[in-house]
Amino acid sequence: MDYPMICMDARRAADAIKSCRIKSDKGDACALAEMLRTGWFTSVHVKSAGTHQLKALLGARDQLVKVKRSLGNQVRGLLRPFGIRLPSRAGMKKFMTAAYHSTRDDPVMGASIEALLEARASIEAQLAKLDGGFKELSRRNEVAWRLISVPGVGPAATLAFIAAIENVERFKRTREIGAYLGLTENRYQSANTDVGMGISKQGDAMARHDLYEAANVLLTTVKRRFALRNLRLKLIETIGPKRASVTVARKLAVLRGRMLNYGAHFDAAVAAGPKKRLARKGDSEFKRFRPSAMKRVRTERSERATRWLQIQNLRSQRPHVKNQFGG
């Protein structure tokens, strides 16, 4: 009779074994056997070889991006002591042109900057090849072809999410995907102590980073209006832009999990909900969520609260003073 193989979570098993006072191989084996007997362990999903190959390809791209960013920062750092500041938001050609022109009269600095820029250009060429391969792979993969229909999500981010989830049926509820990727709140609570510690940051860091970036792209780049984008606009005013991005990233993960579960494409008209909830450019709701408008509203509220406190203090001292707000 064939029994299914169960892979235990090594980190949690190690924490349980550390509770033993004496460390020995026999004691570790007994502890593992007791954990299996009582069911006091956490099983992990064993991914296929193809998923591991995809994660290796994504890891290589991520490493190239880090090296490219590091070389660009190195060029800026070498030029800054000489009073040369390169444009912060410039493309590859503009960046290289500005760096070359700034050091063309100095042979020593020109040689060092040229070497770094040539290395950065070669890395940029390798990244372009990998991105082309990701686009071709996402076209041939039916699952990736459906997920890439979500606004703000590219081929690399889609493949990273597929590699992290692999089989959505292993989740009882699709909203567990947000906790699996570390996008839920991490809290320490004991008696009167209750401390919020941000998000848990467990699971695949690459997929979590891509979801967070996609949530930011929904506001900065995507022009279509649907429920997730409107939700982020509303949350910016109440909880701030970073927490709003985390919330939208978690809901975006759940949305993509449901798309995997039902085999559906993204439809902005369906996801937008009722028309009255949509904020258009001429509506007062849209103006209220702009940064300048938000700052003005908060300033007016603080001024009104300050005036109200002053009036209350005056009324306590002089009961005959009338309230300016109609009191």
Side-chain angles (χ1 to χ4, degrees), residues 149-185:
S149 62
V150 180
V153 179
T158 300
L159 294 176
F161 183 80
I162 294 174
I165 302 301
E166 191 182 38
N167 185 14
V168 72
E169 295 179 357
R170 61 192 178 98
F171 298 97
K172 294 181 179 179
R173 294 172 295 183
T174 53
R175 63 181 180 181
E176 296 178 358
I177 297 177
Y180 177 76
L181 295 177
L183 290 170
T184 53
E185 186 180 12

Side-chain angles (χ1 to χ4, degrees), residues 23-221:
K23 174 70 172 66
S24 63
D25 294 340
K26 183 178 180 180
D28 294 346
C30 292
L32 292 174
E34 185 67 18
M35 292 172 64
L36 288 172
R37 186 185 69 83
T38 58
W40 194 59
F41 66 93
T42 302
S43 60
V44 296
H45 174 70
V46 180
K47 296 182 179 179
S48 62
T51 301
H52 283 289
Q53 293 175 358
L54 181 58
K55 287 182 68 66
L57 191 61
L58 291 167
R61 182 187 181 276
D62 186 60
Q63 189 64 29
L64 288 177
V65 170
K66 291 180 180 179
V67 173
K68 174 190 170 183
R69 187 187 305 116
S70 177
L71 289 174
N73 293 335
Q74 185 69 22
V75 171
R76 298 178 189 276
L78 290 177
L79 295 178
R80 183 162 293 182
F82 299 95
I84 302 173
R85 297 189 63 178
L86 299 178
S88 58
R89 295 183 178 272
M92 180 65 180
K93 294 182 179 180
K94 292 183 178 179
F95 179 82
M96 294 183 64
T97 303
Y100 276 127
H101 284 298
S102 61
T103 57
R104 60 184 178 182
D105 297 332
D106 191 341
V108 178
M109 288 297 298
S112 58
I113 296 300
E114 184 178 357
L116 292 174
L117 291 178
E118 288 181 357
R120 190 173 184 269
S122 62
I123 292 175
E124 183 74 18
Q126 296 298 326
L127 278 173
K129 292 181 180 179
L130 286 178
D131 290 339
F134 285 143
K135 290 180 181 180
E136 184 64 26
L137 185 60
S138 62
R139 291 193 191 100
R140 290 188 281 107
N141 191 338
E142 183 182 357
V143 177
W145 179 58
R146 291 199 304 267
L147 291 182
I148 206 172
S149 62
V150 180
V153 179
T158 300
L159 294 176
F161 183 80
I162 294 174
I165 302 301
E166 191 182 38
N167 185 14
V168 72
E169 295 179 357
R170 61 192 178 98
F171 298 97
K172 294 181 179 179
R173 294 172 295 183
T174 53
R175 63 181 180 181
E176 296 178 358
I177 297 177
Y180 177 76
L181 295 177
L183 290 170
T184 53
E185 186 180 12
N186 187 17
R187 182 170 293 277
Y188 176 82
Q189 191 275 329
S190 178
N192 295 329
T193 304
D194 192 359
V195 182
M197 306 171 64
I199 58 176
S200 62
K201 294 185 179 180
Q202 295 184 357
D204 197 324
M206 188 183 304
R208 181 172 61 253
H209 172 75
D210 292 338
L211 287 170
Y212 184 82
E213 291 297 327
N216 291 328
V217 169
L218 289 180
L219 184 65
T220 58
T221 305

Side-chain angles (χ1 to χ4, degrees), residues 207-283:
R208 181 172 61 253
H209 172 75
D210 292 338
L211 287 170
Y212 184 82
E213 291 297 327
N216 291 328
V217 169
L218 289 180
L219 184 65
T220 58
T221 305
V222 178
K223 302 302 180 182
R224 288 188 297 174
R225 302 194 177 278
F226 51 96
L228 282 177
R229 192 177 190 276
N230 296 335
L231 175 64
R232 192 182 189 281
L233 289 171
K234 294 179 180 179
L235 292 178
I236 285 176
E237 183 182 4
T238 56
I239 61 177
K242 292 185 178 180
R243 291 185 178 182
S245 297
V246 172
T247 303
V248 174
R250 182 171 62 250
K251 291 185 177 294
L252 191 60
V254 175
L255 173 65
R256 297 169 77 180
R258 290 178 180 176
M259 291 172 63
L260 286 176
N261 195 10
Y262 296 106
H265 289 266
F266 179 82
D267 190 353
V270 176
K275 292 184 179 180
K276 63 181 181 180
R277 298 179 60 185
L278 293 177
R280 297 183 179 179
K281 200 166 185 179
D283 296 340

